[in-house]
Amino acid sequence: MTSTDLAGADAAARRPSAARRPRRVRRLTGADRTVLGLMAGVPTLLTVALVWVPALASVVLSFSNWSGFGSFSSIQWVGTENYKNIFTIYPEFPPAIEHNLLWLAVFFCLPAPVGLFLAVQLDKQIRFSRIYQSVLFLPVVLSLALIGFMTELIFSPTQGLINNLTGHAHHHVIDWIGNPSLNIYAVLVMACWRQTGYVMILFLAGLKSVDPSLKEAAALDGAGGWQTFRHVVWPALRPINIVVLVVTVIESLRAFDIVYIINKGTNGLELLSVLVTDNIIGEASRIGFGSALATILLVISLVFIVPYLISMFRKDQNQ
Amino acid sequence: MVQSTGGIGGSGRGSGRGVLDRRSILRGALFGAGALAVSPLLAACGSGGGGSTDTSKATGTVTFGSNAAVPQPKGAYQTLFAAAEKSTKLTIKPNWVDHNTFQQNISSYLQGNPDDVFNWFAGERMQFFAGQGLVSDVNQVWDTIGGAYTDAMKAQSKGKDGKYYLVPFDYYPWAVFYSKSLWASKGYTVPQTWDQFIALATKMKQDGLVPVSFTDKDGWPAMGTFDYLNMRINGFDFHIDLMRNGDKWNSPQVKQVFDTWSELIPYYSPGFLGMTWQEGAQQLLNKQAGMTVLGLDQIGTIFTGSRADDLAFFAFPEVNSAYGQDAVEAPIDGFMVARSPKNKAGAFKLLEYFGTAAAQQLWLGSNPADIATASGVDTSKYTAPQNAAVKLITGAKQLSQFMDRDTRPDFADPVMLPAIQKFLNSPKDAASIMKNIDQQAKTIFASGS
């Protein structure tokens, strides 16, 4: 973000000078330089110190065996053994990957389109629009930890709402929370409930920025509702689509709170983020092993982020 | 002290107003990095101790790291601290932390700036941190309090080097609990052997009860059943050996434990993997369930007031007559002293007080879920289950702690907890689950500590 902003500012500063203005404006005073330097330098330093150094340190530590006790000299370097163990003998790893990808797929297929649908409906200035908007957005305000707690209230096998309403609380108990092939879906229902409101509000903001005269023009030309959406509104939403895409990826990869509240992310609710936490933050940590898991999560994130960045930079160059 | 040097170095020359904020953040970052870099150094210069400390002249403030932030034990501790301040003339400054958070953060806590005295547990869980050199030995305290403790209790308070590191405070047994009134109305009798136990469970099922209100959403309650089965089938020595060395997980002995266990699973509460132990205990309290394998520390908080004396228990049934019902699982909670406490004499003096029967009885108050570790407690104030617990424990040939206290912390929760849940889901897969536990155990135990 910073670099593109700066490039923009730079370009803006240069353009008028090339056209008309005398050179004076083009030259930055010493104070300007200092300010610009600090504006670029401080965030860069912070990013390096708080993002890149820890990330690289994780990658480096992933080749080690360290309990976190004692000095750095107690770190043993073990090569790729942590990765080998993760892929061969760590039974929680395959389900964790599976669940993270499932989470991503579900977030793409349900909250994203449903959120868009709701946003389009709410944008039509229907009566009580504000109320619907608040109701649908409300879950986003709740913390995921709270939603995890609500999941338990609703899905708990003997004391939960669903089983008691459907008469499964005492006989033929459906174990929504404890059955490892069911519980991830119970959790996803709740996660989608929240995510839909989030996506809706993003699209709603995008729709507000679509010039109404465009829609009017389309209507005058005899376009129907679907045609207007397809050919006028949707293309105008392009920047928002990218935001929603990124938000969806981020939210599914960082999913953690709900499952951790429910059962600490075991027994069918394994996620990569939970495995990292389990191994690093605990009574005694396996820092190398946990770092290797974190590195795998980093690589998966890069798979989604790099294409996005490439397309962003390509667009910048084209302009 | 050294950390602040890093901070000053970072602040250097400041200019420009708006930037100052960010710079201070940056300074914070440097500060943090400095602290990180310095902590191992501090670790290295921690003094080895040695020599005795004169506790008679101890004064001042002793800081106390407590894992009892919830009202129930917190209130009891506050009463205890008030009495301790009166008796020792020290000032106690408690630092209340949530129970699980305290455990999760223990390694960074002990390496950082720990309180002088803190709550901890006996067993490998104590020895592990003692072995890392993160706590002080408390031999001197034991010179004073030793007389009030049994040999079994002394053994559980020592590190691998034979020095004392823990002052035990309260403990409680794991057993098979039931409601006396329910059993009386149905005419059930206490089973001695595994076959009688299964026969009773079958009978309860026919009577429309949940025979065993077992729950394992939390992951740890099932460990108690594993421990008991292993000690009953293979004996205490095999069990402790397995916990400490982790080298026989893929053995016929362990296979037999899982096979025996799978006979019991059909009698468990439906949906048990989705329920907390409180929900299971509720089934016992509401007389929907016949029995449960749990600790007195847990179930005792559910059966309170007028129901307290309705709670009864029997020792986990015998499976192999060679080992009978010899071993009892009795987790001990107590106190440890940080590696370099600010007030060592005060910390020792405080522990001398905590080690007395009077202090423990004061803490127990009306709490029916634990019993005191020191002898000389007025047992007439105990409830029926508490007196039965004393009898069970003092009659035991060996005491175990609990899986997550008897084996390495980086093995118990990360490996065993999910593995047992997996087994409970599909008992047929026991063989492959054991094979996997064995592989993981080998890498973890090989990494040393």
Side-chain angles (χ1 to χ4, degrees):
Chain A
M1 279 323 244
T2 326
S3 62
T4 51
D5 287 354
L6 276 179
D10 206 40
R14 216 176 295 148
R15 218 176 295 129
S17 74
R20 245 175 261 143
R21 292 292 176 98
R23 313 177 87 196
R24 228 184 79 233
V25 179
R26 187 168 149 202
R27 293 188 94 189
L28 296 166
T29 64
D32 284 347
R33 275 166 200 265
T34 318
V35 169
L36 267 182
L38 284 175
M39 277 169 69
V42 171
T44 310
L45 257 177
L46 282 178
T47 316
V48 168
L50 300 178
V51 177
W52 287 103
V53 170
L56 289 177
S58 296
V59 175
V60 171
L61 281 173
S62 74
F63 298 102
S64 76
N65 190 341
W66 190 35
S67 65
F69 293 112
S71 64
F72 292 135
S73 62
S74 67
I75 300 177
Q76 302 161 17
W77 300 103
V78 293
T80 55
E81 197 185 300
N82 288 325
Y83 292 95
K84 209 183 86 204
N85 288 342
I86 287 171
F87 286 106
T88 53
I89 61 168
Y90 193 44
E92 280 74 44
F93 180 68
I97 289 272
E98 209 174 284
H99 295 152
N100 267 109
L101 294 178
L102 178 71
W103 205 286
L104 192 63
V106 169
F107 265 20
F108 265 117
C109 299
L110 288 175
V114 174
L116 176 61
F117 175 78
L118 291 173
V120 171
Q121 300 309 312
L122 287 174
D123 194 41
K124 286 182 181 160
Q125 310 295 335
I126 46 174
R127 221 197 295 186
F128 308 127
S129 163
R130 283 286 161 87
I131 295 178
Y132 295 136
Q133 211 170 304
S134 312
V135 168
L136 290 167
F137 188 65
L138 201 65
V140 187
V141 185
L142 304 176
S143 79
L144 275 164
L146 192 62
I147 291 177
F149 186 61
M150 291 164 71
T151 315
E152 287 200 64
L153 294 180
I154 296 174
F155 290 99
S156 161
T158 54
Q159 300 181 349
L161 181 73
I162 293 192
N163 276 0
N164 277 294
L165 282 183
T166 57
H168 284 100
H170 300 294
H171 305 285
H172 311 291
V173 171
I174 305 176
D175 194 354
W176 296 105
I177 301 286
N179 184 336
S181 45
L182 269 185
N183 51 13
I184 187 77
Y185 296 99
V187 168
L188 278 172
V189 167
M190 299 302 283
C192 287
W193 172 62
R194 180 181 186 272
Q195 181 73 4
T196 305
Y198 192 9
V199 171
M200 179 201 75
I201 218 78
L202 289 175
F203 274 126
L204 203 54
L207 287 170
K208 297 278 184 221
S209 67
V210 174
D211 190 349
S213 61
L214 284 177
K215 281 191 265 184
E216 270 170 47
L220 284 177
D221 285 345
W226 169 248
Q227 278 176 310
T228 313
F229 177 76
R230 172 80 186 75
H231 297 289
V232 178
V233 177
W234 181 248
L237 280 179
R238 204 182 123 77
I240 294 294
N241 285 336
I242 291 174
V243 172
V244 170
L245 188 87
V246 172
V247 163
T248 302
V249 171
I250 291 174
E251 290 287 321
S252 11
L253 290 180
R254 73 165 194 188
F256 176 80
D257 326 41
I258 299 191
V259 300
Y260 205 72
I261 285 293
I262 291 175
N263 66 1
K264 294 270 186 318
T266 59
N267 187 36
L269 296 183
E270 295 88 353
L271 289 173
L272 281 175
S273 55
V274 173
L275 299 189
V276 174
T277 320
D278 274 355
N279 282 289
I280 291 194
I281 305 168
E283 252 178 73
S285 30
R286 301 165 72 190
I287 289 182
F289 194 75
S291 299
L293 286 162
T295 306
I296 293 172
L297 186 58
L298 177 72
V299 169
I300 295 176
S301 319
L302 287 180
V303 168
F304 292 96
I305 293 167
V306 166
Y308 164 70
L309 285 181
I310 289 177
S311 77
M312 287 296 285
F313 283 132
R314 200 170 280 159
K315 220 166 53 190
D316 278 351
Q317 275 172 359
N318 291 345
Q319 275 170 3
Chain B
M1 291 314 97
V2 194
Q3 286 112 314
S4 59
T5 331
I8 292 162
S11 66
R13 36 218 107 75
S15 68
R17 262 204 167 170
V19 194
L20 216 104
D21 271 73
R22 292 177 171 179
R23 280 206 78 104
S24 58
I25 294 171
L26 188 63
R27 198 188 320 161
L30 270 172
F31 190 93
L36 266 181
V38 160
S39 63
L41 289 177
L42 288 180
C45 50
S47 63
S52 76
T53 315
D54 187 2
T55 59
S56 62
K57 292 191 205 102
T59 50
T61 304
V62 176
T63 54
F64 186 97
S66 169
N67 63 0
V70 288
Q72 170 55 26
K74 185 176 173 180
Y77 273 110
Q78 279 166 332
T79 315
L80 174 72
F81 290 164
E85 287 184 339
K86 202 180 265 173
S87 159
T88 60
K89 307 280 180 279
L90 294 160
T91 311
I92 301 172
K93 198 175 141 219
N95 168 21
W96 305 103
V97 184
D98 162 69
H99 194 79
N100 285 329
T101 313
F102 190 84
Q103 278 151 238
Q104 293 270 298
N105 296 335
I106 189 71
S107 58
S108 47
Y109 171 76
L110 289 180
Q111 292 186 84
N113 197 5
D115 300 295
D116 297 344
V117 179
F118 60 95
N119 281 110
W120 201 242
F121 315 99
E124 170 76 16
R125 215 176 187 177
M126 169 267 290
Q127 296 185 337
F128 184 82
F129 294 102
Q132 306 286 350
L134 291 171
V135 290
S136 300
D137 73 73
V138 291
N139 282 342
Q140 199 192 323
V141 178
W142 275 88
D143 293 342
T144 314
I145 64 170
Y149 291 88
T150 61
D151 285 345
M153 201 62 79
K154 285 177 181 161
Q156 291 289 354
S157 307
K158 284 180 193 166
K160 283 172 185 145
D161 55 3
K163 291 183 185 162
Y164 288 103
Y165 287 97
L166 181 90
V167 170
F169 192 65
D170 63 289
Y171 68 149
Y172 58 93
W174 273 65
V176 188
F177 290 86
Y178 62 92
S179 153
K180 249 190 267 179
S181 54
L182 175 74
W183 277 41
S185 70
K186 302 272 184 188
Y188 299 139
T189 52
V190 168
Q192 299 292 327
T193 65
W194 183 254
D195 293 337
Q196 291 169 1
F197 184 58
I198 295 289
L200 176 64
T202 317
K203 176 95 184 13
M204 286 176 171
K205 203 167 194 174
Q206 285 160 3
D207 292 346
L209 291 169
V210 172
V212 181
S213 72
F214 179 87
T215 56
D216 200 36
K217 197 187 84 168
D218 313 295
W220 56 263
M223 290 175 174
T225 303
F226 178 91
D227 293 346
Y228 263 130
L229 280 170
N230 196 21
M231 291 190 292
R232 295 291 184 257
I233 294 169
N234 302 311
F236 178 81
D237 293 338
F238 179 88
H239 176 68
I240 287 299
D241 205 49
L242 181 68
M243 293 293 126
R244 297 289 152 98
N245 304 323
D247 55 351
K248 293 203 182 70
W249 278 101
N250 196 9
S251 64
Q253 288 96 324
V254 177
K255 183 74 173 42
Q256 206 196 332
V257 171
F258 281 117
D259 287 347
T260 313
W261 198 348
S262 50
E263 293 170 28
L264 189 61
I265 295 175
Y267 301 100
Y268 281 166
S269 313
F272 62 84
L273 275 163
M275 296 196 293
T276 60
W277 70 261
Q278 287 94 337
E279 289 174 277
Q282 214 66 40
Q283 291 183 340
L284 198 70
L285 186 75
N286 299 340
K287 302 186 181 180
Q288 294 165 327
M291 38 192 177
T292 186
V293 180
L294 208 60
L296 180 62
D297 186 55
Q298 289 86 34
I299 194 88
T301 62
I302 304 287
F303 281 76
T304 51
S306 59
R307 294 294 304 275
D309 280 344
D310 188 34
L311 182 68
F313 63 83
F314 56 90
F316 196 89
E318 166 190 318
V319 184
N320 178 346
S321 59
Y323 305 110
Q325 296 176 315
D326 292 353
V328 169
E329 184 130 284
I332 302 165
D333 297 344
F335 308 104
M336 299 220 279
V337 175
R339 176 179 45 209
S340 32
K342 287 179 201 71
N343 185 353
K344 197 167 194 171
F348 283 176
K349 191 172 180 185
L350 189 62
L351 288 189
E352 283 169 7
Y353 175 75
F354 287 162
T356 61
Q360 296 175 6
Q361 184 125 42
L362 180 73
W363 179 84
L364 282 172
S366 58
N367 170 9
D370 297 285
I371 54 177
T373 50
S375 48
V377 172
D378 178 6
T379 52
S380 66
K381 287 185 183 143
Y382 277 169
T383 60
Q386 276 174 311
N387 276 316
V390 174
K391 209 173 133 211
L392 179 73
I393 292 179
T394 47
K397 290 211 179 106
Q398 306 100 1
L399 294 184
S400 62
Q401 290 303 298
F402 193 72
M403 185 182 284
D404 66 7
R405 300 179 182 205
D406 277 328
T407 193
R408 292 172 60 118
D410 51 0
F411 176 69
D413 281 1
V415 178
M416 285 313 295
L417 189 153
I420 290 179
Q421 285 182 328
K422 209 172 213 179
F423 161 74
L424 293 167
N425 263 316
S426 45
K428 298 187 304 299
D429 298 340
S432 73
I433 293 168
M434 281 166 48
K435 186 163 161 262
N436 181 270
I437 296 174
D438 187 56
Q439 286 170 326
Q440 293 198 75
K442 280 190 175 128
T443 65
I444 292 173
F445 281 82
S447 72
S449 55

